[in-house]
Amino acid sequence: MSTSQDQLAAPPIDALLGETIATLLYAAMAYLEPREPEASPDLASAELAVDVAGLAFDRITSRLRPDARGALTVMLTDARLAFVRKRG
């Protein structure tokens, strides 16, 4: 296996973490809005997903492109507000 193949297999960490943060935030929103009409939101899972996403975002912010930073900021804010509204 050559070095160039190894480099192609590993995505840039900022892109990887940006996608991971977005996935965590989408999951948090899904935990807050269960599909079954009578199901309760999973507040503990939503809180954990938002907290981990927030910590990762704080750590990687300086490495993100401005457009990605802005989009993730909006997503994180929306998820935090949705969590607070559901928790009451």
Side-chain angles (χ1 to χ4, degrees), residues 25-34 39-47 50 78-87:
L25 295 172
Y26 286 128
M29 298 302 276
Y31 291 129
L32 293 173
E33 298 292 337
S40 299
D42 185 349
L43 295 177
S45 294
E47 182 178 28
V50 171
D78 289 347
R80 286 174 170 159
L81 288 172
F83 175 77
V84 169
R85 279 189 219 110
K86 287 289 181 173
R87 183 185 64 190

PDB file of all heavy atoms in Angstrom, residues 25-34 39-47 50 78-87:
ATOM      1  N   LEU A  25     -26.630  16.685  15.561  1.00  0.00           N
ATOM      2  CA  LEU A  25     -27.715  17.658  15.694  1.00  0.00           C
ATOM      3  C   LEU A  25     -28.997  17.171  15.026  1.00  0.00           C
ATOM      4  O   LEU A  25     -30.095  17.389  15.548  1.00  0.00           O
ATOM      5  CB  LEU A  25     -27.269  19.015  15.158  1.00  0.00           C
ATOM      6  CG  LEU A  25     -26.133  19.659  15.978  1.00  0.00           C
ATOM      7  CD1 LEU A  25     -25.599  20.898  15.290  1.00  0.00           C
ATOM      8  CD2 LEU A  25     -26.592  19.966  17.394  1.00  0.00           C
ATOM      9  N   TYR A  26     -28.877  16.508  13.877  1.00  0.00           N
ATOM     10  CA  TYR A  26     -30.061  15.897  13.256  1.00  0.00           C
ATOM     11  C   TYR A  26     -30.646  14.830  14.181  1.00  0.00           C
ATOM     12  O   TYR A  26     -31.863  14.722  14.330  1.00  0.00           O
ATOM     13  CB  TYR A  26     -29.718  15.271  11.904  1.00  0.00           C
ATOM     14  CG  TYR A  26     -29.494  16.268  10.798  1.00  0.00           C
ATOM     15  CD1 TYR A  26     -28.347  16.215  10.018  1.00  0.00           C
ATOM     16  CD2 TYR A  26     -30.427  17.264  10.520  1.00  0.00           C
ATOM     17  CE1 TYR A  26     -28.135  17.120   8.991  1.00  0.00           C
ATOM     18  CE2 TYR A  26     -30.211  18.178   9.495  1.00  0.00           C
ATOM     19  CZ  TYR A  26     -29.072  18.099   8.732  1.00  0.00           C
ATOM     20  OH  TYR A  26     -28.864  18.993   7.725  1.00  0.00           O
ATOM     21  N   ALA A  27     -29.782  14.051  14.808  1.00  0.00           N
ATOM     22  CA  ALA A  27     -30.252  13.018  15.738  1.00  0.00           C
ATOM     23  C   ALA A  27     -30.953  13.654  16.935  1.00  0.00           C
ATOM     24  O   ALA A  27     -32.005  13.175  17.369  1.00  0.00           O
ATOM     25  CB  ALA A  27     -29.080  12.153  16.201  1.00  0.00           C
ATOM     26  N   ALA A  28     -30.400  14.733  17.460  1.00  0.00           N
ATOM     27  CA  ALA A  28     -31.020  15.416  18.595  1.00  0.00           C
ATOM     28  C   ALA A  28     -32.432  15.865  18.241  1.00  0.00           C
ATOM     29  O   ALA A  28     -33.367  15.691  19.036  1.00  0.00           O
ATOM     30  CB  ALA A  28     -30.175  16.615  19.020  1.00  0.00           C
ATOM     31  N   MET A  29     -32.599  16.419  17.058  1.00  0.00           N
ATOM     32  CA  MET A  29     -33.930  16.867  16.639  1.00  0.00           C
ATOM     33  C   MET A  29     -34.876  15.673  16.498  1.00  0.00           C
ATOM     34  O   MET A  29     -36.057  15.770  16.844  1.00  0.00           O
ATOM     35  CB  MET A  29     -33.840  17.649  15.338  1.00  0.00           C
ATOM     36  CG  MET A  29     -33.007  18.922  15.464  1.00  0.00           C
ATOM     37  SD  MET A  29     -33.593  20.075  16.712  1.00  0.00           S
ATOM     38  CE  MET A  29     -34.830  20.931  15.780  1.00  0.00           C
ATOM     39  N   ALA A  30     -34.373  14.552  16.035  1.00  0.00           N
ATOM     40  CA  ALA A  30     -35.207  13.348  15.905  1.00  0.00           C
ATOM     41  C   ALA A  30     -35.607  12.834  17.290  1.00  0.00           C
ATOM     42  O   ALA A  30     -36.741  12.385  17.477  1.00  0.00           O
ATOM     43  CB  ALA A  30     -34.464  12.262  15.127  1.00  0.00           C
ATOM     44  N   TYR A  31     -34.703  12.899  18.249  1.00  0.00           N
ATOM     45  CA  TYR A  31     -35.038  12.480  19.616  1.00  0.00           C
ATOM     46  C   TYR A  31     -36.118  13.384  20.219  1.00  0.00           C
ATOM     47  O   TYR A  31     -36.928  12.938  21.022  1.00  0.00           O
ATOM     48  CB  TYR A  31     -33.813  12.505  20.527  1.00  0.00           C
ATOM     49  CG  TYR A  31     -32.786  11.453  20.212  1.00  0.00           C
ATOM     50  CD1 TYR A  31     -31.450  11.792  20.052  1.00  0.00           C
ATOM     51  CD2 TYR A  31     -33.133  10.113  20.077  1.00  0.00           C
ATOM     52  CE1 TYR A  31     -30.488  10.834  19.772  1.00  0.00           C
ATOM     53  CE2 TYR A  31     -32.185   9.149  19.796  1.00  0.00           C
ATOM     54  CZ  TYR A  31     -30.878   9.517  19.644  1.00  0.00           C
ATOM     55  OH  TYR A  31     -29.933   8.566  19.362  1.00  0.00           O
ATOM     56  N   LEU A  32     -36.110  14.644  19.824  1.00  0.00           N
ATOM     57  CA  LEU A  32     -37.093  15.587  20.356  1.00  0.00           C
ATOM     58  C   LEU A  32     -38.462  15.452  19.704  1.00  0.00           C
ATOM     59  O   LEU A  32     -39.463  15.851  20.282  1.00  0.00           O
ATOM     60  CB  LEU A  32     -36.582  17.027  20.188  1.00  0.00           C
ATOM     61  CG  LEU A  32     -35.368  17.384  21.035  1.00  0.00           C
ATOM     62  CD1 LEU A  32     -34.858  18.765  20.653  1.00  0.00           C
ATOM     63  CD2 LEU A  32     -35.701  17.314  22.513  1.00  0.00           C
ATOM     64  N   GLU A  33     -38.500  14.908  18.504  1.00  0.00           N
ATOM     65  CA  GLU A  33     -39.762  14.765  17.756  1.00  0.00           C
ATOM     66  C   GLU A  33     -39.945  13.312  17.326  1.00  0.00           C
ATOM     67  O   GLU A  33     -39.729  12.964  16.159  1.00  0.00           O
ATOM     68  CB  GLU A  33     -39.757  15.673  16.518  1.00  0.00           C
ATOM     69  CG  GLU A  33     -39.657  17.139  16.824  1.00  0.00           C
ATOM     70  CD  GLU A  33     -40.906  17.691  17.504  1.00  0.00           C
ATOM     71  OE1 GLU A  33     -41.997  17.089  17.354  1.00  0.00           O
ATOM     72  OE2 GLU A  33     -40.781  18.711  18.188  1.00  0.00           O
ATOM     73  N   PRO A  34     -40.365  12.441  18.242  1.00  0.00           N
ATOM     74  CA  PRO A  34     -40.542  11.029  17.871  1.00  0.00           C
ATOM     75  C   PRO A  34     -41.629  10.870  16.805  1.00  0.00           C
ATOM     76  O   PRO A  34     -42.555  11.673  16.723  1.00  0.00           O
ATOM     77  CB  PRO A  34     -40.945  10.358  19.183  1.00  0.00           C
ATOM     78  CG  PRO A  34     -41.363  11.443  20.092  1.00  0.00           C
ATOM     79  CD  PRO A  34     -40.731  12.708  19.611  1.00  0.00           C
ATOM     80  N   ALA A  39     -45.681   8.898  21.474  1.00  0.00           N
ATOM     81  CA  ALA A  39     -44.362   8.695  22.081  1.00  0.00           C
ATOM     82  C   ALA A  39     -43.856   9.997  22.698  1.00  0.00           C
ATOM     83  O   ALA A  39     -44.165  11.092  22.231  1.00  0.00           O
ATOM     84  CB  ALA A  39     -43.373   8.194  21.037  1.00  0.00           C
ATOM     85  N   SER A  40     -43.091   9.868  23.746  1.00  0.00           N
ATOM     86  CA  SER A  40     -42.494  11.026  24.413  1.00  0.00           C
ATOM     87  C   SER A  40     -41.120  11.314  23.815  1.00  0.00           C
ATOM     88  O   SER A  40     -40.423  10.397  23.381  1.00  0.00           O
ATOM     89  CB  SER A  40     -42.321  10.744  25.904  1.00  0.00           C
ATOM     90  OG  SER A  40     -43.554  10.503  26.507  1.00  0.00           O
ATOM     91  N   PRO A  41     -40.723  12.577  23.819  1.00  0.00           N
ATOM     92  CA  PRO A  41     -39.368  12.898  23.367  1.00  0.00           C
ATOM     93  C   PRO A  41     -38.335  12.224  24.274  1.00  0.00           C
ATOM     94  O   PRO A  41     -38.574  12.066  25.471  1.00  0.00           O
ATOM     95  CB  PRO A  41     -39.282  14.412  23.516  1.00  0.00           C
ATOM     96  CG  PRO A  41     -40.681  14.891  23.639  1.00  0.00           C
ATOM     97  CD  PRO A  41     -41.476  13.755  24.209  1.00  0.00           C
ATOM     98  N   ASP A  42     -37.228  11.834  23.700  1.00  0.00           N
ATOM     99  CA  ASP A  42     -36.124  11.253  24.470  1.00  0.00           C
ATOM    100  C   ASP A  42     -35.176  12.394  24.831  1.00  0.00           C
ATOM    101  O   ASP A  42     -34.186  12.648  24.143  1.00  0.00           O
ATOM    102  CB  ASP A  42     -35.429  10.170  23.637  1.00  0.00           C
ATOM    103  CG  ASP A  42     -34.341   9.440  24.400  1.00  0.00           C
ATOM    104  OD1 ASP A  42     -33.965   9.896  25.504  1.00  0.00           O
ATOM    105  OD2 ASP A  42     -33.862   8.423  23.885  1.00  0.00           O
ATOM    106  N   LEU A  43     -35.530  13.095  25.904  1.00  0.00           N
ATOM    107  CA  LEU A  43     -34.776  14.287  26.293  1.00  0.00           C
ATOM    108  C   LEU A  43     -33.332  13.979  26.677  1.00  0.00           C
ATOM    109  O   LEU A  43     -32.426  14.759  26.370  1.00  0.00           O
ATOM    110  CB  LEU A  43     -35.484  15.011  27.438  1.00  0.00           C
ATOM    111  CG  LEU A  43     -36.849  15.606  27.093  1.00  0.00           C
ATOM    112  CD1 LEU A  43     -37.479  16.222  28.332  1.00  0.00           C
ATOM    113  CD2 LEU A  43     -36.740  16.622  25.980  1.00  0.00           C
ATOM    114  N   ALA A  44     -33.105  12.854  27.335  1.00  0.00           N
ATOM    115  CA  ALA A  44     -31.735  12.501  27.746  1.00  0.00           C
ATOM    116  C   ALA A  44     -30.835  12.290  26.534  1.00  0.00           C
ATOM    117  O   ALA A  44     -29.695  12.771  26.503  1.00  0.00           O
ATOM    118  CB  ALA A  44     -31.757  11.261  28.631  1.00  0.00           C
ATOM    119  N   SER A  45     -31.338  11.587  25.529  1.00  0.00           N
ATOM    120  CA  SER A  45     -30.540  11.357  24.320  1.00  0.00           C
ATOM    121  C   SER A  45     -30.336  12.650  23.544  1.00  0.00           C
ATOM    122  O   SER A  45     -29.241  12.913  23.024  1.00  0.00           O
ATOM    123  CB  SER A  45     -31.208  10.311  23.432  1.00  0.00           C
ATOM    124  OG  SER A  45     -31.204   9.055  24.077  1.00  0.00           O
ATOM    125  N   ALA A  46     -31.380  13.471  23.455  1.00  0.00           N
ATOM    126  CA  ALA A  46     -31.259  14.752  22.757  1.00  0.00           C
ATOM    127  C   ALA A  46     -30.231  15.642  23.442  1.00  0.00           C
ATOM    128  O   ALA A  46     -29.391  16.260  22.780  1.00  0.00           O
ATOM    129  CB  ALA A  46     -32.617  15.446  22.699  1.00  0.00           C
ATOM    130  N   GLU A  47     -30.279  15.686  24.768  1.00  0.00           N
ATOM    131  CA  GLU A  47     -29.334  16.510  25.516  1.00  0.00           C
ATOM    132  C   GLU A  47     -27.896  16.049  25.297  1.00  0.00           C
ATOM    133  O   GLU A  47     -26.993  16.864  25.083  1.00  0.00           O
ATOM    134  CB  GLU A  47     -29.673  16.479  27.005  1.00  0.00           C
ATOM    135  CG  GLU A  47     -28.766  17.354  27.846  1.00  0.00           C
ATOM    136  CD  GLU A  47     -29.153  17.358  29.309  1.00  0.00           C
ATOM    137  OE1 GLU A  47     -29.727  16.352  29.804  1.00  0.00           O
ATOM    138  OE2 GLU A  47     -28.871  18.369  29.967  1.00  0.00           O
ATOM    139  N   VAL A  50     -26.749  17.022  21.742  1.00  0.00           N
ATOM    140  CA  VAL A  50     -26.482  18.465  21.642  1.00  0.00           C
ATOM    141  C   VAL A  50     -25.208  18.831  22.405  1.00  0.00           C
ATOM    142  O   VAL A  50     -24.385  19.609  21.906  1.00  0.00           O
ATOM    143  CB  VAL A  50     -27.691  19.279  22.152  1.00  0.00           C
ATOM    144  CG1 VAL A  50     -27.345  20.765  22.268  1.00  0.00           C
ATOM    145  CG2 VAL A  50     -28.883  19.097  21.226  1.00  0.00           C
ATOM    146  N   ASP A  78     -30.425  26.201  16.919  1.00  0.00           N
ATOM    147  CA  ASP A  78     -31.782  25.665  16.742  1.00  0.00           C
ATOM    148  C   ASP A  78     -32.017  24.433  17.616  1.00  0.00           C
ATOM    149  O   ASP A  78     -33.077  24.295  18.233  1.00  0.00           O
ATOM    150  CB  ASP A  78     -32.050  25.324  15.278  1.00  0.00           C
ATOM    151  CG  ASP A  78     -32.184  26.554  14.399  1.00  0.00           C
ATOM    152  OD1 ASP A  78     -32.319  27.678  14.937  1.00  0.00           O
ATOM    153  OD2 ASP A  78     -32.155  26.381  13.156  1.00  0.00           O
ATOM    154  N   ALA A  79     -31.031  23.540  17.663  1.00  0.00           N
ATOM    155  CA  ALA A  79     -31.177  22.324  18.469  1.00  0.00           C
ATOM    156  C   ALA A  79     -31.240  22.661  19.959  1.00  0.00           C
ATOM    157  O   ALA A  79     -32.034  22.077  20.700  1.00  0.00           O
ATOM    158  CB  ALA A  79     -30.029  21.355  18.183  1.00  0.00           C
ATOM    159  N   ARG A  80     -30.422  23.592  20.398  1.00  0.00           N
ATOM    160  CA  ARG A  80     -30.451  23.994  21.807  1.00  0.00           C
ATOM    161  C   ARG A  80     -31.792  24.621  22.175  1.00  0.00           C
ATOM    162  O   ARG A  80     -32.363  24.330  23.233  1.00  0.00           O
ATOM    163  CB  ARG A  80     -29.310  24.966  22.107  1.00  0.00           C
ATOM    164  CG  ARG A  80     -27.960  24.285  22.177  1.00  0.00           C
ATOM    165  CD  ARG A  80     -26.833  25.279  22.325  1.00  0.00           C
ATOM    166  NE  ARG A  80     -25.580  24.608  22.635  1.00  0.00           N
ATOM    167  CZ  ARG A  80     -24.386  25.139  22.425  1.00  0.00           C
ATOM    168  NH1 ARG A  80     -24.278  26.362  21.921  1.00  0.00           N
ATOM    169  NH2 ARG A  80     -23.296  24.466  22.726  1.00  0.00           N
ATOM    170  N   LEU A  81     -32.303  25.487  21.311  1.00  0.00           N
ATOM    171  CA  LEU A  81     -33.604  26.113  21.573  1.00  0.00           C
ATOM    172  C   LEU A  81     -34.726  25.084  21.575  1.00  0.00           C
ATOM    173  O   LEU A  81     -35.619  25.132  22.432  1.00  0.00           O
ATOM    174  CB  LEU A  81     -33.881  27.200  20.533  1.00  0.00           C
ATOM    175  CG  LEU A  81     -33.046  28.477  20.666  1.00  0.00           C
ATOM    176  CD1 LEU A  81     -33.286  29.387  19.458  1.00  0.00           C
ATOM    177  CD2 LEU A  81     -33.371  29.195  21.956  1.00  0.00           C
ATOM    178  N   ALA A  82     -34.684  24.149  20.635  1.00  0.00           N
ATOM    179  CA  ALA A  82     -35.714  23.101  20.581  1.00  0.00           C
ATOM    180  C   ALA A  82     -35.671  22.249  21.847  1.00  0.00           C
ATOM    181  O   ALA A  82     -36.718  21.892  22.390  1.00  0.00           O
ATOM    182  CB  ALA A  82     -35.520  22.228  19.345  1.00  0.00           C
ATOM    183  N   PHE A  83     -34.477  21.944  22.314  1.00  0.00           N
ATOM    184  CA  PHE A  83     -34.347  21.160  23.540  1.00  0.00           C
ATOM    185  C   PHE A  83     -34.945  21.912  24.733  1.00  0.00           C
ATOM    186  O   PHE A  83     -35.704  21.344  25.520  1.00  0.00           O
ATOM    187  CB  PHE A  83     -32.881  20.810  23.819  1.00  0.00           C
ATOM    188  CG  PHE A  83     -32.700  20.111  25.127  1.00  0.00           C
ATOM    189  CD1 PHE A  83     -33.026  18.764  25.259  1.00  0.00           C
ATOM    190  CD2 PHE A  83     -32.249  20.787  26.240  1.00  0.00           C
ATOM    191  CE1 PHE A  83     -32.899  18.109  26.485  1.00  0.00           C
ATOM    192  CE2 PHE A  83     -32.120  20.156  27.465  1.00  0.00           C
ATOM    193  CZ  PHE A  83     -32.435  18.808  27.583  1.00  0.00           C
ATOM    194  N   VAL A  84     -34.626  23.183  24.861  1.00  0.00           N
ATOM    195  CA  VAL A  84     -35.144  23.974  25.982  1.00  0.00           C
ATOM    196  C   VAL A  84     -36.674  24.061  25.914  1.00  0.00           C
ATOM    197  O   VAL A  84     -37.348  23.947  26.935  1.00  0.00           O
ATOM    198  CB  VAL A  84     -34.487  25.380  25.998  1.00  0.00           C
ATOM    199  CG1 VAL A  84     -35.197  26.315  26.964  1.00  0.00           C
ATOM    200  CG2 VAL A  84     -33.011  25.262  26.340  1.00  0.00           C
ATOM    201  N   ARG A  85     -37.225  24.230  24.713  1.00  0.00           N
ATOM    202  CA  ARG A  85     -38.682  24.288  24.577  1.00  0.00           C
ATOM    203  C   ARG A  85     -39.329  22.974  24.996  1.00  0.00           C
ATOM    204  O   ARG A  85     -40.370  22.968  25.660  1.00  0.00           O
ATOM    205  CB  ARG A  85     -39.063  24.594  23.129  1.00  0.00           C
ATOM    206  CG  ARG A  85     -38.982  26.051  22.796  1.00  0.00           C
ATOM    207  CD  ARG A  85     -39.576  26.319  21.415  1.00  0.00           C
ATOM    208  NE  ARG A  85     -38.761  27.314  20.766  1.00  0.00           N
ATOM    209  CZ  ARG A  85     -37.970  27.106  19.737  1.00  0.00           C
ATOM    210  NH1 ARG A  85     -37.883  25.934  19.155  1.00  0.00           N
ATOM    211  NH2 ARG A  85     -37.259  28.095  19.231  1.00  0.00           N
ATOM    212  N   LYS A  86     -38.740  21.861  24.600  1.00  0.00           N
ATOM    213  CA  LYS A  86     -39.321  20.543  24.947  1.00  0.00           C
ATOM    214  C   LYS A  86     -39.168  20.239  26.433  1.00  0.00           C
ATOM    215  O   LYS A  86     -40.054  19.651  27.045  1.00  0.00           O
ATOM    216  CB  LYS A  86     -38.654  19.428  24.139  1.00  0.00           C
ATOM    217  CG  LYS A  86     -39.043  19.403  22.701  1.00  0.00           C
ATOM    218  CD  LYS A  86     -40.480  18.951  22.553  1.00  0.00           C
ATOM    219  CE  LYS A  86     -40.839  18.913  21.080  1.00  0.00           C
ATOM    220  NZ  LYS A  86     -42.146  18.335  20.858  1.00  0.00           N
ATOM    221  N   ARG A  87     -38.033  20.605  26.979  1.00  0.00           N
ATOM    222  CA  ARG A  87     -37.780  20.330  28.395  1.00  0.00           C
ATOM    223  C   ARG A  87     -38.668  21.187  29.294  1.00  0.00           C
ATOM    224  O   ARG A  87     -39.111  20.749  30.333  1.00  0.00           O
ATOM    225  CB  ARG A  87     -36.312  20.588  28.711  1.00  0.00           C
ATOM    226  CG  ARG A  87     -35.937  20.259  30.144  1.00  0.00           C
ATOM    227  CD  ARG A  87     -34.538  20.631  30.462  1.00  0.00           C
ATOM    228  NE  ARG A  87     -34.431  22.094  30.357  1.00  0.00           N
ATOM    229  CZ  ARG A  87     -33.314  22.762  30.381  1.00  0.00           C
ATOM    230  NH1 ARG A  87     -32.173  22.121  30.453  1.00  0.00           N
ATOM    231  NH2 ARG A  87     -33.280  24.073  30.297  1.00  0.00           N
TER     232      ARG A  87
END
